[in-house]
Amino acid sequence: MILFNEHITHSTEKKMTTDVIYMDAEKAFDQPKFEEMQEKLKEAKIDGNLLVHRVFLVKVNGNHSNETTADSGAGQGSVLGLILFTIFISKLSKLLKKIDEN
């Protein structure tokens, strides 16, 4: 956030235009298929065993559904979701830095 503020201040002082993109990352990893996530984890040199034997169930008023195999997404608040978010932000940061250098 500090770097962002410094960039905005610097750009404003030089009378440069700055575009800002806001995104809601709350459900960013609910939809990707495991194959896509596996690829990203492999690129980051992280063992893909985080995607093996994933199941979920629903609990409502103390009643549980049957377990179902998960074939996409990363649970909110999960370690996998945090890892994927970190990979995403890292790549985004590198891309923005590369654009800024041009």
Side-chain angles (χ1 to χ4, degrees), residues 17-96:
T17 301
T18 300
D19 296 320
V20 179
I21 300 170
Y22 294 97
M23 51 188 192
D24 181 2
E26 182 179 352
K27 295 186 177 187
F29 305 109
D30 286 354
Q31 299 300 318
K33 292 288 185 191
F34 284 167
E35 295 82 26
E36 297 168 14
M37 292 190 293
Q38 182 78 30
E39 181 76 23
K40 297 298 179 196
L41 292 169
K42 209 177 273 187
E43 288 173 11
K45 298 184 180 3
I46 297 173
D47 184 7
N49 285 336
L50 294 169
L51 301 173
V52 177
H53 306 299
R54 303 247 345 258
V55 296
F56 70 95
L57 58 85
V58 177
K59 178 181 175 183
V60 178
N61 296 327
N63 297 312
H64 295 82
S65 68
N66 294 329
E67 285 188 350
T68 304
T69 302
D71 64 355
S72 66
Q76 291 182 1
S78 68
V79 171
L80 178 59
L82 180 59
I83 291 170
L84 290 168
F85 180 77
T86 303
I87 291 169
F88 172 75
I89 292 299
S90 175
K91 288 187 178 228
L92 180 61
S93 177
K94 289 175 186 172
L95 176 65
L96 292 174

